[in-house]
Amino acid sequence: MHKNIKFVLVNTTHPGNIGGVARAMKNMSLSELTLVRPKFFPHAEATARAAGADDLLSNAKVVDSLKEAISDSQLVIGTSVRERTIPLILLDAKAAAVKIVNEAKTGHKVSIVFGTENSGLSNSELQLCHYHLCIPTNSEFSSLNLAAAVLIVAYEIKAEALGNENFIFDNPALDLATNAEVELFYDHLKKVLQEINFLKQENPEQLMQRLRKIFSRIRLEKVELNILRGILTAIEKTHDKTNLS
Amino acid sequence: MHKNIKFVLVNTTHPGNIGGVARAMKNMSLSELTLVRPKFFPHAEATARAAGADDLLSNAKVVDSLKEAISDSQLVIGTSVRERTIPLILLDAKAAAVKIVNEAKTGHKVSIVFGTENSGLSNSELQLCHYHLCIPTNSEFSSLNLAAAVLIVAYEIKAEALGNENFIFDNPALDLATNAEVELFYDHLKKVLQEINFLKQENPEQLMQRLRKIFSRIRLEKVELNILRGILTAIEKTHDKTNLS
């Protein structure tokens, strides 16, 4: 699936940015990089910024025109942070990722195109695209670095691909206390609070309800419940000493 | 709303990364930056990488400890790309952004904490957090640059805030305790547990960590915290009687 998703950089000026793009792509499990007339490539700065993603650089295709770069693609998405005069259908990064992952899974080739650093994609370049991806930014400070723009798009693709695989973080399987065990804790707590004269007030049930509300939010593990019961027992021992005196 | 969301960088080694973080935050309309013991700051490299976001740098707070940085916060989220041994509830960046924007809209202060470049947050730093934010990455190439990690989180917050602009949250606005208030509770709890001889065991710190883990899951309201402090005071009174006898 990931092999069907290609990032295309047009007329990149700073080789360091190409390296930053490679790193961002690899961080998000993407590998296909095509460069349209890069100003400097290969370049030591690109390799340095790639920080271990240099396999993407050595496998990158370098071509002469955007048309050539996207010739194998069934879906072409142009990116920018600016509103454009070409009225392509506008997608935010999340909506674009849904479309990209969907298409790539059906076996279509997808190209995601990024323009030159200063001016982005030209109107004639945008006309080669099916959709226009716009990354939401601060309207007063919208100049995203090229690698940053790639990172956000790649991240959304990663998140969407994971989501489609029913990816769930493996929260550790907790050995939670049963409701009966928690009720025994409440009984114990109430008994101790009466013994230390905390529950002699006007409305003890109201206070117990508040305490239940606190602890019910925790969903205690068995081992945690045992610690709390241990504390209650320690309080009782202190109290017993008082009573003996 | 955005003023309630603070990014906290702990022990940042490379000043350029602080600048990159400032730029990423400003790109996404976020402004509140706190630095815990940065190795070099202010620094020309930070200003250079900020690329116009130097207002965030000059307004950044520099503090001596993570505890101090988050003392005003009701919600604290720790970030990393690694699975950790401390089983905090794990959120992906999107789920975390939903929670962050929700809370910030109700007026709560939120801290999002990023560890040092090489090793991330330590276990004791993570223990100060309510949730653990994990950015999905390539498991074989997961080393996100610090500014890249900040960018993704800030982008998700921006996207969520835009999506929710015309949305009314009907969650009751809870008057949650600040981190500093919760820390005072832990101090009080530890003192009382020592007095009743519950904390004389081999490894008192480990037990305190378990108790912190229990209570950090609750996110206590101020009024609830007062009830728990009241119980502690009642226990102390019982104990004092014992001592007098």
Side-chain angles (χ1 to χ4, degrees):
Chain A
M1 192 277 279
H2 288 137
K3 291 272 174 201
N4 290 335
I5 300 172
K6 172 165 61 181
F7 281 64
V8 180
L9 308 185
V10 181
N11 293 346
T12 310
T13 309
H14 301 294
N17 284 337
I18 298 174
V21 165
R23 179 178 181 181
M25 288 176 62
K26 190 167 177 178
N27 276 147
M28 299 303 161
S29 313
L30 294 163
S31 59
E32 304 307 297
L33 178 60
T34 295
L35 308 171
V36 181
R37 292 186 308 274
K39 193 160 179 185
F40 306 102
F41 188 83
H43 194 281
E45 227 177 292
T47 309
R49 281 274 305 277
D54 32 336
D55 51 326
L56 270 73
L57 296 181
S58 48
N59 292 328
K61 289 200 183 70
V62 180
V63 299
D64 273 333
S65 70
L66 176 56
K67 226 174 236 182
E68 188 182 343
I70 63 177
S71 63
D72 66 342
S73 298
Q74 282 103 346
L75 173 63
V76 182
I77 295 185
T79 62
S80 79
V81 294
R82 298 185 290 142
E83 295 285 329
R84 304 303 284 261
T85 50
I86 304 284
L88 288 173
I89 293 173
L90 200 58
L91 301 173
D92 65 20
K94 181 78 194 163
V98 172
K99 191 169 280 295
I100 290 162
V101 170
N102 264 334
E103 298 265 337
K105 288 206 167 177
T106 67
H108 288 158
K109 299 274 187 191
V110 181
S111 284
I112 307 156
V113 187
F114 296 81
T116 187
E117 286 97 333
N118 287 331
S119 52
L121 291 170
S122 70
N123 283 349
S124 64
E125 286 162 348
L126 267 178
Q127 272 166 348
L128 297 173
C129 303
H130 300 110
Y131 294 95
H132 182 187
L133 188 168
C134 189
I135 297 172
T137 53
N138 182 348
S139 54
E140 284 155 24
F141 190 73
S142 63
S143 75
L144 273 184
N145 171 270
L146 177 60
V150 166
L151 177 68
I152 288 173
V153 176
Y155 157 76
E156 282 286 19
I157 290 169
K158 176 80 173 166
E160 177 64 21
L162 289 173
N164 281 353
E165 281 158 23
N166 291 325
F167 180 82
I168 298 164
F169 283 114
D170 290 326
N171 278 320
L174 300 174
D175 190 12
L176 295 181
T178 65
N179 190 65
E181 288 163 338
V182 176
E183 286 300 329
L184 287 175
F185 164 69
Y186 288 137
D187 291 345
H188 196 172
L189 178 64
K190 187 174 177 177
K191 179 163 164 279
V192 169
L193 292 180
Q194 281 165 337
E195 283 171 12
I196 64 169
N197 285 326
F198 191 76
L199 264 194
K200 61 177 179 184
Q201 299 150 5
E202 285 158 30
N203 205 335
E205 279 316 309
Q206 196 182 27
L207 187 68
M208 278 310 295
Q209 276 172 24
R210 290 215 74 122
L211 288 168
R212 290 178 81 102
K213 196 183 140 221
I214 293 176
F215 286 100
S216 71
R217 296 216 293 286
I218 315 186
R219 308 193 59 218
L220 289 161
E221 294 176 60
K222 285 180 199 292
V223 60
E224 292 174 336
L225 198 73
N226 288 339
I227 292 172
L228 295 178
R229 296 282 304 259
I231 293 174
L232 293 175
T233 302
I235 297 168
E236 283 179 313
K237 279 185 195 153
T238 301
H239 182 71
D240 287 347
K241 273 191 265 172
T242 317
N243 280 355
L244 286 175
S245 69
Chain B
M1 192 277 278
H2 286 137
K3 290 273 173 198
N4 290 335
I5 301 172
K6 173 165 60 180
F7 281 63
V8 179
L9 309 184
V10 181
N11 293 346
T12 311
T13 309
H14 301 294
N17 283 337
I18 298 174
V21 165
R23 180 178 181 180
M25 287 176 61
K26 190 166 179 178
N27 277 147
M28 298 303 161
S29 312
L30 294 163
S31 59
E32 305 305 299
L33 178 60
T34 295
L35 308 170
V36 180
R37 292 187 306 275
K39 191 159 179 187
F40 304 104
F41 188 82
H43 194 282
E45 226 178 291
T47 310
R49 282 274 304 278
D54 31 337
D55 51 327
L56 269 72
L57 296 182
S58 47
N59 292 327
K61 287 198 187 71
V62 180
V63 299
D64 274 332
S65 72
L66 176 56
K67 228 176 235 187
E68 187 182 344
I70 64 177
S71 64
D72 67 340
S73 296
Q74 281 104 345
L75 175 64
V76 182
I77 295 184
T79 61
S80 79
V81 293
R82 297 187 289 143
E83 295 284 328
R84 303 303 284 261
T85 49
I86 302 286
L88 289 174
I89 294 172
L90 201 58
L91 301 173
D92 66 20
K94 181 78 192 162
V98 171
K99 190 169 281 290
I100 290 162
V101 170
N102 240 329
E103 298 266 338
K105 288 204 170 177
T106 68
H108 288 157
K109 299 276 187 191
V110 182
S111 284
I112 307 156
V113 186
F114 296 80
T116 188
E117 285 97 334
N118 286 332
S119 51
L121 291 171
S122 70
N123 283 348
S124 65
E125 286 161 349
L126 268 178
Q127 269 167 351
L128 298 172
C129 303
H130 299 110
Y131 295 94
H132 183 187
L133 189 168
C134 188
I135 298 171
T137 53
N138 182 347
S139 55
E140 284 155 26
F141 189 73
S142 64
S143 74
L144 273 185
N145 171 270
L146 178 60
V150 166
L151 177 68
I152 287 172
V153 177
Y155 157 75
E156 283 287 18
I157 290 170
K158 176 78 174 168
E160 178 63 21
L162 286 173
N164 281 344
E165 246 165 24
N166 298 313
F167 201 85
I168 298 163
F169 290 102
D170 42 24
N171 281 331
L174 299 174
D175 192 13
L176 294 180
T178 65
N179 191 68
E181 288 163 342
V182 175
E183 288 296 332
L184 288 174
F185 164 69
Y186 288 135
D187 291 345
H188 195 173
L189 177 63
K190 186 174 180 178
K191 183 165 160 278
V192 169
L193 292 180
Q194 280 165 337
E195 283 171 13
I196 65 172
N197 286 326
F198 189 76
L199 264 194
K200 60 176 179 182
Q201 300 151 1
E202 284 158 29
N203 204 337
E205 277 315 307
Q206 197 181 27
L207 187 70
M208 278 310 296
Q209 277 172 22
R210 291 217 73 122
L211 289 167
R212 292 178 79 105
K213 199 187 133 211
I214 293 175
F215 286 100
S216 75
R217 296 217 292 289
I218 316 185
R219 306 192 58 218
L220 292 160
E221 292 177 62
K222 282 182 202 291
V223 62
E224 292 173 336
L225 197 74
N226 288 339
I227 292 171
L228 295 178
R229 296 283 303 258
I231 293 173
L232 293 176
T233 302
I235 298 168
E236 282 179 314
K237 279 185 194 151
T238 301
H239 182 72
D240 286 348
K241 272 191 265 170
T242 317
N243 282 355
L244 286 174
S245 67

